[in-house]
Amino acid sequence: AVNDFKIWLIESAIKRRKVLKKLLKLTRKDNICFDGLSRVSHVTDASDWRVEFPFVVLTPDTEDEVQTLVQGCIELELPIIPRGGGTGYTGGAVPLRVNSVVINTEKLDSLGSVVQRSIVCRPEEQADAYEKIVPTAAAGAGVVTRRVSDLAESAGFVFAVDPTSQDASCIGGNIAMNAGGKKAVMWGTTLDNLLSWKMVMPDARWMTIERLDHNLAKIHELKVARFKVSRFAANGKDIESETILEIPGEQLRKQGLGKDVTNKFLGGLPGVQKEGCDGIITSAVFILHTMPKHIRTVCMEFFGADMANSVPAIVETIDYLKTQEGLVLAGLEHLDERYIKAVGYSTKSAKSE
């Protein structure tokens, strides 16, 4: 065992020098992390599932560096794991093989101001397409979700993507997981609010995906959702091919649910809900929304041993609101006993047995 460890140690040192020599041509030295702290902190995500330590952690400064680093890792024959804030519960950022490379996109934190863009909209299948000016926000994959929400709010708008982890999760991960949140009942999950996004594919080629004929609402309300997928040549500038994806709305949602976590394919749509398996998302553009003028918050509290009635009560409330003209459910959040205890929630009504 001692001899095996000695051989492994020597081989690892040789491999590190080889990798460092190659990657130093592509990024700064302090973006190539072999140190123990970096490797330990990237061995798992919020799932706390641990299999293998990453061989090296890369922290590119720009989108262009992501592409060149992916190409370098391909030439070095190193498996790649994309990672953002590490808040995922599915183990998507966990290295499963020895000599894996984790590419951390947290430095891709560019976030501009809210921009009014002219986009082609089609609210209904039979309606004619028309141009509309809509508020949008462009963000790098490493931008923390809360920052986009704050940006939208400061301009009088709403960013619909608000998972519970929004103070730590990043935009790239929101797309890769198709994150939702309490506002999803009104404006859908991440997929519904995307206008376009950019990715580096496993062959180190760039790809952009653009939503066509946006309905500015939940995507499954359309019979067919359309996307333009552009693949770029090796130089990263010339478009090699363009494909129009036409995906039935019912394939993008399981009827009756906010999203179908079992359907990872999503009609072949790149990036979304793939958990980083088909490429590294580097940036995206989202549409923003405007909250209704008058807002009311309703809190329902359930007490007693039999909590099974709470779910039917929530469903009945949703069904009732759907029948009320002029009323829209803007958000919905269910807090269980553990969450209430964690945040120190105080009841609003007299507790009964």
Side-chain angles (χ1 to χ4, degrees):
V2 172
N3 287 334
D4 288 345
F5 176 75
K6 183 178 179 180
I7 293 171
W8 172 84
L9 199 61
I10 295 171
E11 290 176 347
S12 295
I14 295 172
K15 193 176 190 69
R16 281 190 182 187
R17 287 195 292 270
K18 178 183 177 182
V19 170
L20 186 62
K21 182 179 179 181
K22 176 71 176 180
L23 299 184
L24 276 177
K25 301 174 183 177
L26 310 175
T27 188
R28 294 184 299 134
K29 185 176 183 179
D30 56 351
N31 289 339
I32 307 169
C33 308
F34 291 104
D35 62 285
L37 182 59
S38 295
R39 295 174 64 220
V40 166
S41 61
H42 287 76
V43 77
T44 187
D45 53 15
S47 69
D48 205 29
W49 185 31
R50 301 164 190 271
V51 181
E52 294 286 353
F53 281 88
F55 179 73
V56 63
V57 176
L58 305 179
T59 57
D61 292 314
T62 64
E63 284 186 287
D64 290 338
E65 278 191 8
V66 175
Q67 187 267 333
T68 55
L69 286 173
V70 169
Q71 182 62 54
C73 290
I74 291 172
E75 294 171 8
L76 290 166
E77 299 183 345
L78 298 174
I80 301 169
I81 310 289
R83 179 190 172 98
T87 61
Y89 282 99
T90 60
V94 176
L96 300 181
R97 297 173 58 185
V98 178
N99 295 329
S100 294
V101 174
V102 172
I103 296 183
N104 187 311
T105 60
E106 287 180 292
K107 286 185 180 179
L108 308 183
D109 59 354
S110 60
L111 179 63
S113 56
V114 173
V115 175
Q116 299 287 343
R117 297 174 189 254
S118 177
I119 68 172
V120 176
C121 300
R122 191 190 297 272
E124 299 176 7
E125 291 297 328
Q126 305 304 322
D128 294 330
Y130 65 96
E131 286 193 9
K132 183 176 181 179
I133 304 295
V134 298
T136 63
V143 174
V144 174
T145 312
R146 171 71 74 178
R147 288 184 59 204
V148 186
S149 296
D150 291 344
L151 172 69
E153 186 177 351
S154 67
F157 301 106
V158 177
F159 182 50
V161 182
D162 64 339
T164 308
S165 62
Q166 65 176 325
D167 289 308
S169 64
C170 296
I171 290 300
N174 293 158
I175 299 170
M177 306 295 285
N178 193 13
K182 56 183 177 294
K183 297 189 185 78
V185 295
M186 187 172 185
W187 291 305
T189 60
T190 304
L191 172 59
D192 305 71
N193 296 281
L194 278 166
L195 192 57
S196 64
W197 61 103
K198 190 175 180 181
M199 300 175 58
V200 178
M201 303 306 289
D203 59 359
R205 299 288 185 91
W206 283 108
M207 175 186 286
T208 60
I209 304 92
E210 180 185 356
R211 175 87 180 270
L212 302 177
D213 299 338
H214 210 298
N215 64 333
L216 305 178
K218 295 178 181 177
I219 198 168
H220 66 273
E221 294 175 356
L222 294 172
K223 288 185 179 179
V224 177
R226 300 173 66 243
F227 299 85
K228 182 171 74 172
V229 179
S230 302
R231 301 174 188 272
F232 288 77
N235 61 14
K237 298 178 181 179
D238 300 327
I239 295 179
E240 201 168 57
S241 66
E242 287 186 342
T243 305
I244 303 298
L245 285 180
E246 295 188 344
I247 307 172
E250 60 184 12
Q251 287 188 19
L252 299 170
R253 288 283 185 278
K254 189 172 181 65
Q255 297 304 306
L257 294 178
K259 72 174 181 179
D260 183 1
V261 296
T262 66
N263 178 17
K264 296 296 181 185
F265 185 60
L266 288 185
L269 185 64
V272 179
Q273 209 161 296
K274 306 300 190 297
E275 301 178 26
C277 290
D278 65 348
I280 302 179
I281 297 159
T282 59
S283 62
V285 179
F286 294 86
I287 61 170
L288 305 177
H289 301 276
T290 303
M291 284 292 285
K293 185 178 294 185
H294 303 288
I295 304 171
R296 295 292 182 271
T297 300
V298 177
C299 176
M300 296 188 296
E301 299 176 336
F302 299 89
F303 305 101
D306 185 11
M307 298 298 293
N309 292 327
S310 63
V311 173
I314 293 170
V315 174
E316 288 180 25
T317 302
I318 295 172
D319 291 340
Y320 171 75
L321 289 175
K322 288 179 180 178
T323 66
Q324 302 303 300
E325 186 176 351
L327 287 181
V328 179
L329 185 61
L332 180 65
E333 194 165 20
H334 171 245
L335 311 180
D336 61 16
E337 186 177 1
R338 291 177 299 173
Y339 189 93
I340 289 173
K341 184 178 180 180
V343 300
Y345 176 84
S346 58
T347 57
K348 305 295 184 290
S349 59
K351 187 174 181 179
S352 59
E353 295 298 330

